[in-house]
Amino acid sequence: MQVLSGLRLNELEKITDELHQSKFRARQIHNWIYLKSAKTIDDMTDLSKAFREDLKKIAVVTDVKIKVKQTSADGTIKYLLEYPDGECVETVLMRFDNRANLTACVSSQVGCAVNCSFCATGKRGFIRNLNYKEIIEQVLTIQRDTGLKVTNVVFMGQGEPLLNLENVLKAMEIFNDSFQIGQRRLTVSTSGIIPQINKLAELDMQSTLAISLHAPTHEIRRKLMQIEDKYNMRDLKLALKNYVEKTGRRITIEYLLIKDLNDTTECAKLLAEYLHDIKCNVNLIPYNPTAQNDYERPSNNSVMKFKCLLEHSGKKVTVRLERGTDIDAACGQLSGKS
Ligand code: SAH
Ligand code: SF4
């Protein structure tokens, strides 16, 4: 059986050719899959009954199962998906106040090798990469289940996208062409894999690059992220400046705020210094508790103070809205377990 989800138009045309149908039929199937959220071949009502019967003999819409679905009080939906080999990942749909925007937070790997101290995903270790079809299947599942069209995709679920770059780039291409999601509505978040950041600069990526910086100095960052020993902040800065120069794009700096660890006035000053010559916005993320460590979330007051200090340095600063904490769907809480 062929799986229709994830096929490009030219691949669908091969199927319609085999079944002696016109290429226009392939375009119809394509739109049913990516834009009109068909759950089954029978949903594709502008195809003739006879053609649907033939198609059903050789193809299915998807082979991915929703294992668990949880809905948060704030409307965030978290899915645990199961691929045919039994591996599972989580994917999250967020609706912000502006209801026109529906953001899917997708996973790029099962587990993650980077193992940051604050993150539930890293605690599982690395299991495997997802291929590009498995990545886009997450967005298709959301669209089929809700009947809504996803407008933005962020690679902020499980996994380090830049350690699975080929599949991530292919998925982004399909989000762009087949789902008709503009490049600027796609965001890739990374813990700072320098050679791959350089590669994205060469490719002149027009999507948003988000960097999980989380610390103002090498000493503090090492405590939080062991990747700092491999790719340190000094070299990272050179890569970011090169990226901005090549692409002309503004970077997003993600900064996790952990009480008494990296949320002090001194830290805000050092961070402003580090960022002063990088074209970026800053997104502050108050730490979301995960069971595995004893970090604490700072008070709203100290978050606001940190924000003000950074704003004084001339940066645009936002505080990430907390979504789905009640169902463990917030940043860093995805472990992929049922
Ligand atoms: N691996 C990539 C993308 C996935 S993580 C990366 O690390 O950038 C998405 C974001 O959630 C990252 O900025 C990550 O540092 C952050 N995060 C991880 N654990 C968190 C936690 N417990 N609370 C808040 N944010 C967390
Ligand atoms: Fe991996 Fe990102 Fe979690 Fe670090 S924060 S362990 S890079 S998923």
Side-chain angles (χ1 to χ4, degrees), residues 18-299:
E18 260 168 50
L19 298 175
H20 310 293
Q21 295 282 333
S22 72
K23 295 208 187 313
F24 177 67
R25 302 285 165 235
R27 168 61 70 183
Q28 287 176 302
I29 298 171
H30 176 274
N31 291 352
W32 279 111
I33 297 287
Y34 294 103
L35 304 175
K36 301 199 291 185
S37 310
K39 288 186 168 135
T40 64
I41 290 170
D42 276 326
D43 287 345
M44 303 179 185
T45 46
D46 54 5
L47 304 179
S48 74
K49 187 107 202 301
F51 175 37
R52 276 184 269 152
E53 290 307 319
D54 288 345
L55 192 56
K56 273 164 34 185
K57 286 182 197 132
I58 59 163
V60 290
V61 169
T62 180
D63 57 2
V64 171
K65 280 195 292 241
I66 298 177
K67 216 170 167 194
V68 183
K69 174 182 173 184
Q70 288 169 281
T71 305
S72 159
D74 64 27
T76 300
I77 307 178
K78 179 170 87 166
Y79 297 91
L80 182 71
L81 304 186
E82 186 181 14
Y83 296 110
D85 72 347
E87 287 299 347
C88 296
V89 295
E90 277 146 329
T91 189
V92 178
L93 175 69
M94 295 168 288
R95 314 156 192 240
F96 293 100
D97 334 314
N98 168 4
R99 300 202 119 244
N101 267 0
L102 285 177
T103 301
C105 173
V106 300
S107 297
S108 55
Q109 299 180 315
V110 185
C112 181
V114 180
N115 196 12
C116 303
S117 62
F118 45 77
C119 173
T121 304
K123 296 289 163 285
R124 271 188 85 187
F126 173 69
I127 304 188
R128 71 170 175 83
N129 279 332
L130 296 180
N131 64 40
Y132 71 90
K133 289 185 185 176
E134 291 173 321
I135 296 172
I136 68 168
E137 192 57 48
Q138 297 169 46
V139 177
L140 287 173
T141 300
I142 290 174
Q143 294 192 160
R144 284 194 298 264
D145 185 63
T146 60
L148 301 168
K149 181 75 183 60
V150 166
T151 59
N152 298 62
V153 177
V154 296
F155 284 84
M156 293 189 186
Q158 288 158 249
E160 169 48 61
L162 297 200
L163 292 179
N164 185 17
L165 188 58
E166 215 177 297
N167 283 302
V168 166
L169 287 173
K170 185 95 197 252
M172 287 170 79
E173 191 186 314
I174 300 176
F175 287 138
N176 197 217
D177 315 331
S178 294
F179 291 76
Q180 296 171 13
I181 299 175
Q183 289 188 49
R184 299 200 172 190
R185 290 175 173 269
L186 304 174
T187 299
V188 184
S189 173
T190 177
S191 56
I193 313 294
I194 292 175
Q196 264 75 336
I197 294 172
N198 292 335
K199 196 159 171 196
L200 294 177
E202 292 309 321
L203 292 171
D204 193 17
M205 181 172 87
Q206 289 301 302
S207 298
T208 303
L209 179 65
I211 303 291
S212 293
L213 191 66
H214 303 333
T217 63
H218 176 68
E219 287 63 37
I220 300 177
R221 195 164 192 260
R222 293 187 63 203
K223 285 190 209 150
L224 296 173
M225 304 172 78
Q226 52 191 45
I227 191 101
E228 175 68 14
D229 285 328
K230 189 160 185 198
Y231 300 120
N232 67 54
M233 285 177 65
R234 196 157 27 112
D235 296 341
L236 181 60
K237 181 164 176 163
L238 296 176
L240 298 183
K241 291 183 74 158
N242 173 59
Y243 180 87
V244 169
E245 195 178 307
K246 294 265 163 65
T247 63
R249 301 280 294 145
R250 188 178 295 277
I251 290 172
T252 299
I253 297 291
E254 298 169 275
Y255 191 97
L256 189 62
L257 281 168
I258 303 172
K259 187 171 174 224
D260 301 333
L261 213 153
N262 64 358
D263 69 337
T264 60
T265 308
E266 177 68 5
C267 283
K269 281 190 194 139
L270 291 168
L271 180 62
E273 248 164 64
Y274 179 81
L275 297 177
H276 87 275
D277 54 353
I278 302 176
K279 186 175 157 190
C280 64
N281 295 327
V282 182
N283 191 209
L284 299 174
I285 317 171
Y287 172 71
N288 291 313
T290 63
Q292 289 96 339
N293 58 50
D294 47 40
Y295 297 150
E296 282 175 57
R297 188 185 180 87
S299 68

